[in-house]
Amino acid sequence: MAATAIALGKESSLYVREMVKPTLACFYDQDGRVRYYACEALYNIVKVARGSVLPLFNDIFDGLSKLAADPDQNVKNGSELLDRLVKDIVTESSSFDLVSFMPLLRDRIYVRNAFARQFLVSWISTLDAVPDIEMIVFLPEILDGLFNILGDENDEIRKMCEACLGEFLQGIHKERSKADFAAMANVLVMHSQSKDPLIQHTALLWLKDFLQLSGRVILPYASGIITAVLPCLAYDASRKNTLEVAKIVNSNMISLIAAEADAGAQSAEQKVHSTGGKDEVKEGTKSETESAATKVATRTGVFTFSKVQGVSDDLLLDVGAVVRVLMKYLSHEAIATREASLRWIYHLLQKTPEKMFCFVDDFFPLLMKTLSDPSDEVVLLDLEVLTEVSSNPAGNNITLNYEEMGLPSQAKVTKPTGLSAYFVKFMVILLDSFNKDKQLLEDRGSFIIRQLCLMLNAEAIYRSFSEILLHENDLRFACHMVQTLNIILLTSTELFDLRNLLKDLKNEESCSLFCCLYHTWCHSPVATVSLCFLTQNYEHASNVLLLFGDVEVTVEFLAEIDKLVQLIESPIFTYLRLQLLDPQLNQSLITSLYALLMLLPQGDAFRTLRHRLECVPSFQYQVEKKTISGTKSKKTTKSIDFKKLLEIFRDTQEKHRMSKKTTRRKETARQLKIDKV
């Protein structure tokens, strides 16, 4: 056959099929010598016929791909010579049919033999180097296979494939208009989750460049990209390069989320959410030829996104899919990943609030659970997210159902100005969480409440807590919660303005707040007295203290009085101590302090308070009956009915007595039953 081709010369092009087909058949012979001489013969035929063999290129390529992995070294050497000749012909030709060749390359690229992989990568690099061949257009067909080859055990093949991918990426930068970013996104998302460090790093590098080059085209793949990136943020110094790339990808992805994506899509997202995700479909390639990479992504289930009628795919952010991913990573073991998840939720609430509030009931319980996180930074970020939920106007669309929240239907909790209706729900759920998880209240209660007062409105927080606790059936929890809120009110710098508002009761607003708090503070007798001291209602404090004779004196009760004595000695009550300089105008204050002294056992707190009272000037030493400079007499506030408040205090304490009595009766009955058994 070779001799015939040489003899025919230029005329051999008329008989290419008759010469090539029989020769190729010998490529599959069992005898190695036959395969070798078939390579030699075809080499001579191709050398003479040149471009005339291109119509049979697929058959020749198929044969060469098999001989590249031949066990006989002589056969491999012969096939390499033929391979180089065919590459030269393809490079020189302007009529190479890439479209018909791609299906064959797409099928062969998943081969596992190292030599066959090396052969394929060399051909892909060769074709990409030809100026007239647009390999970038068909890159989605083979990208998944190239990433698989990148994970080969042979270092030489890995380097070869890495260089090939690098050339492709440079080509995309030069000819971005020819690249089908959407068709390749699935492949990159899948491989950016690979356990192989090189594959993962390379895929993330591609995603980084894709985000810069394609913009919002890649936005529908946000959930998949976030799935890949967030775990990488927890990498240590040993994988610093991957960590840095992941940070850039995450930052660039966040910057793509704009408020415009929210416009016109709320109703569509609600439709998707109501169907429970049944309308989700796989994203296909936008090229004429269906991408093999997309088939792989579809088969592995790497990514799905919703097709919503009336909204363009390239502008659609599937918030539901993103939220599900973020919910998953809120419980990730790495702190950095949990923090990134919270930052994402916060950003989405700011940029796409209407769509996010379609799913707020899904992720809100997880946000509440995250308040127990061991990391202070995570808890702080979580509170910022909860603050955004509570203050975002989109939350006004919800309807409050008090019975579902465990409150009586006639309950009324004031929605503060500037905050959403979801704020009330947040306060109810937060108190319920404190009730169910006592450890959370002990460990993080003060921190959470103080930060919320700083981020939101301290008055709104305290007023809401007070109104909700009025309907609390667990009186013991209500008392404990009031004591916690009272200590925070009296000691935290974050509540300085609120203390000043209550200190003078100058207007109706401050009087209203005092009455609101008083109703709930009655659950704790000592907290009630401290509130009266703070608001300078000393006469009422004296009347309340006279009722302490009916209060059950326990160790906990005495400990609360001890704390109050310490607070009286603190800078917060400086004005109270200065008012002791004028006994005539502050007789009720002195009476109140003596009442506390009589309640205390003779311990450290008793001696501290006694020494303070010993410093009070006697009446006979007063030269002038006037208010000492720096103090002032308390003006009677006409809008407050103190007699009614005193009755409320009595009724509340009666409820506590009955509750304790019932509890003791049940405990006695239980003990008798145990003894009987």
Side-chain angles (χ1 to χ4, degrees):
M1 289 295 180
T4 303
I6 293 170
L8 286 170
K10 294 182 179 180
E11 300 297 324
S12 63
S13 60
L14 300 173
Y15 307 98
V16 167
R17 184 173 293 276
E18 287 77 5
M19 291 185 289
V20 171
K21 284 286 186 179
T23 308
L24 280 175
C26 296
F27 277 23
Y28 308 100
D29 194 275
Q30 292 183 350
D31 193 324
R33 292 176 300 171
V34 174
R35 298 195 300 275
Y36 173 76
Y37 286 118
C39 285
E40 185 180 352
L42 188 58
Y43 177 87
N44 290 318
I45 294 170
V46 171
K47 189 173 183 180
V48 174
R50 305 297 292 182
S52 300
V53 301
L54 288 180
L56 297 172
F57 175 79
N58 283 8
D59 296 327
I60 297 172
F61 182 87
D62 187 48
L64 284 173
S65 66
K66 290 179 171 60
L67 292 184
D70 198 282
D72 191 321
Q73 187 61 42
N74 289 329
V75 175
K76 287 172 65 176
N77 292 338
S79 69
E80 288 175 2
L81 289 172
L82 176 59
D83 179 53
R84 284 197 291 270
L85 177 60
V86 175
K87 284 176 180 174
D88 291 339
I89 293 171
V90 171
T91 303
E92 295 169 358
S93 174
S94 59
S95 59
F96 180 70
D97 189 0
L98 183 61
V99 175
S100 62
F101 170 61
M102 287 309 299
L104 176 63
L105 179 60
R106 187 175 61 208
D107 292 338
R108 289 286 185 271
I109 203 165
Y110 290 101
V111 68
R112 292 187 175 277
N113 183 273
F115 296 105
R117 283 181 165 182
Q118 192 172 14
F119 168 80
L120 289 168
V121 174
S122 69
W123 261 103
I124 293 171
S125 297
T126 299
L127 293 174
D128 184 47
V130 179
D132 295 335
I133 296 178
E134 301 290 351
M135 279 296 289
I136 291 179
V137 175
F138 295 92
L139 184 56
E141 307 269 351
I142 58 173
L143 187 62
D144 180 64
L146 283 173
F147 271 98
N148 282 332
I149 295 174
L150 188 62
D152 195 275
E153 296 178 355
N154 188 302
D155 289 338
E156 184 179 348
I157 295 176
R158 286 164 70 95
K159 291 178 181 178
M160 188 177 178
C161 186
E162 186 178 8
C164 179
L165 286 168
E167 291 170 2
F168 271 122
L169 192 56
Q170 289 179 6
I172 291 173
H173 276 275
K174 295 176 182 177
E175 302 176 284
R176 68 173 70 181
S177 61
K178 297 178 181 179
D180 191 348
F181 295 102
M184 292 184 279
N186 271 330
V187 178
L188 298 178
V189 166
M190 178 178 68
H191 288 291
S192 59
Q193 300 174 61
S194 173
K195 294 181 179 180
D196 186 296
L198 179 59
I199 294 177
Q200 185 181 43
H201 180 71
T202 306
L204 287 172
L205 281 174
W206 276 63
L207 281 175
K208 176 179 73 70
D209 288 4
F210 272 31
L211 287 170
Q212 294 172 348
L213 296 172
S214 67
R216 298 178 65 80
V217 171
I218 208 168
L219 194 59
Y221 299 88
S223 61
I225 295 173
I226 294 170
T227 300
V229 169
L230 292 190
C232 300
L233 299 177
Y235 287 164
D236 55 18
S238 62
R239 299 188 65 178
K240 183 179 179 181
N241 292 338
T242 304
L243 171 62
E244 294 302 322
V245 176
K247 287 181 178 178
I248 296 173
V249 172
N250 188 57
S251 176
N252 291 347
M253 197 68 215
I254 286 176
S255 66
L256 283 181
I257 311 300
E260 304 91 81
D262 198 36
Q266 180 187 6
S267 59
E269 283 288 353
Q270 288 174 335
K271 177 182 177 182
V272 174
H273 187 57
S274 64
T275 59
K278 295 179 181 178
D279 295 333
E280 289 184 354
V281 295
K282 305 291 181 179
E283 167 70 348
T285 179
K286 297 178 182 177
S287 60
E288 294 181 1
T289 307
E290 183 183 10
S291 170
T294 306
K295 288 183 179 180
V296 173
T298 303
R299 183 174 68 250
T300 56
V302 173
F303 172 75
T304 61
F305 76 95
S306 304
K307 291 277 190 181
V308 182
Q309 296 295 328
V311 183
S312 176
D313 285 348
D314 62 336
L315 295 179
L316 175 64
L317 173 67
D318 185 1
V319 173
V322 172
V323 167
R324 286 190 289 274
V325 171
L326 297 175
M327 288 170 60
K328 172 185 174 183
Y329 285 120
L330 273 178
S331 56
H332 194 271
E333 59 182 6
I335 294 175
T337 300
R338 299 199 298 273
E339 289 178 356
S341 301
L342 289 167
R343 289 191 182 97
W344 259 104
I345 295 174
Y346 183 78
H347 184 74
L348 290 171
L349 281 167
Q350 286 189 316
K351 296 299 182 181
T352 61
E354 297 296 337
K355 294 200 298 189
M356 280 296 285
F357 268 86
C358 295
F359 305 94
V360 68
D361 289 331
D362 296 335
F363 63 79
F364 192 81
L366 274 176
L367 293 178
M368 297 303 302
K369 185 179 178 182
T370 307
L371 291 174
S372 303
D373 195 277
S375 168
D376 287 343
E377 287 297 323
V378 172
V379 174
L380 197 58
L381 283 171
D382 190 41
L383 289 172
E384 288 183 14
V385 176
L386 289 166
T387 298
E388 182 63 29
V389 172
S390 302
S391 58
N392 200 297
N396 287 321
N397 297 330
I398 70 164
T399 303
L400 293 175
N401 189 323
Y402 288 116
E403 292 182 354
E404 287 183 0
M405 294 189 292
L407 296 176
S409 56
Q410 69 274 14
K412 183 179 180 181
V413 183
T414 306
K415 182 182 83 67
T417 305
L419 297 177
S420 70
Y422 218 92
F423 168 79
V424 177
K425 187 172 183 179
F426 172 36
M427 293 294 102
V428 173
I429 297 175
L430 180 59
L431 281 175
D432 186 57
S433 300
F434 285 151
N435 192 5
K436 292 177 179 177
D437 187 356
K438 299 298 190 295
Q439 199 61 42
L440 173 63
L441 178 59
E442 293 297 326
D443 296 342
R444 289 289 173 80
S446 178
F447 175 74
I448 291 171
I449 294 169
R450 287 167 56 196
Q451 291 301 320
L452 285 175
C453 289
L454 197 62
M455 296 174 184
L456 290 169
N457 181 292
E459 181 182 350
I461 298 286
Y462 266 72
R463 189 181 288 273
S464 298
F465 277 154
S466 181
E467 291 174 344
I468 295 167
L469 286 171
L470 278 178
H471 307 286
E472 178 60 55
N473 295 322
D474 187 347
L475 298 182
R476 189 169 184 177
F477 166 72
C479 178
H480 186 40
M481 194 68 219
V482 165
Q483 290 168 357
T484 302
L485 290 170
N486 186 62
I487 289 295
I488 296 170
L489 174 63
L490 294 176
T491 60
S492 300
T493 55
E494 293 87 352
L495 278 79
F496 177 78
D497 292 335
L498 186 61
R499 285 197 295 273
N500 282 345
L501 179 66
L502 288 167
K503 183 177 176 181
D504 294 322
L505 300 182
K506 294 178 180 178
N507 50 42
E508 289 299 321
E509 179 188 359
S510 58
C511 292
S512 171
L513 177 61
F514 167 73
C515 292
C516 177
L517 296 181
Y518 186 94
H519 282 62
T520 306
W521 259 234
C522 287
H523 284 294
S524 172
V526 180
T528 307
V529 173
S530 65
L531 180 63
C532 292
F533 283 169
L534 176 64
T535 56
Q536 304 183 67
N537 289 306
Y538 303 133
E539 184 178 355
H540 187 70
S542 176
N543 293 332
V544 169
L545 282 163
L546 291 176
L547 298 176
F548 275 26
D550 298 327
V551 175
E552 182 182 1
V553 178
T554 62
V555 174
E556 183 181 3
F557 176 75
L558 293 174
E560 288 299 309
I561 298 179
D562 190 294
K563 290 179 183 178
L564 178 56
V565 172
Q566 294 176 30
L567 285 172
I568 290 172
E569 295 297 316
S570 70
I572 294 169
F573 282 115
T574 300
Y575 65 91
L576 181 146
R577 297 196 300 275
L578 288 174
Q579 288 170 0
L580 292 174
L581 294 174
D582 197 341
Q584 287 187 335
L585 294 179
N586 295 288
Q587 294 181 32
S588 296
L589 172 57
I590 296 172
T591 302
S592 301
L593 295 178
Y594 270 109
L596 286 176
L597 188 68
M598 296 305 151
L599 289 167
L600 283 168
Q602 296 188 29
D604 291 340
F606 177 88
R607 287 188 287 273
T608 299
L609 185 55
R610 187 186 66 183
H611 290 157
R612 174 63 61 185
L613 289 170
E614 287 174 352
C615 297
V616 176
S618 301
F619 286 106
Q620 58 268 28
Y621 295 136
Q622 293 295 313
V623 180
E624 296 183 59
K625 296 181 179 180
K626 63 179 181 179
T627 304
I628 302 298
S629 177
T631 67
K632 59 184 176 180
S633 60
K634 182 63 184 172
K635 295 181 180 179
T636 304
T637 308
K638 296 181 180 179
S639 61
I640 299 177
D641 187 348
F642 286 102
K643 290 184 178 180
K644 185 177 180 181
L645 292 181
L646 205 59
E647 289 300 320
I648 291 172
F649 179 81
R650 286 197 185 96
D651 293 342
T652 305
Q653 291 308 307
E654 182 62 28
K655 288 180 183 178
H656 277 270
R657 279 195 293 272
M658 296 303 296
S659 176
K660 289 178 181 178
K661 189 176 181 180
T662 303
T663 302
R664 290 196 191 97
R665 188 183 298 116
K666 290 180 179 179
E667 181 62 28
T668 302
R670 188 181 69 84
Q671 191 61 45
L672 287 172
K673 186 176 181 180
I674 292 173
D675 293 343
K676 186 177 181 181
V677 171

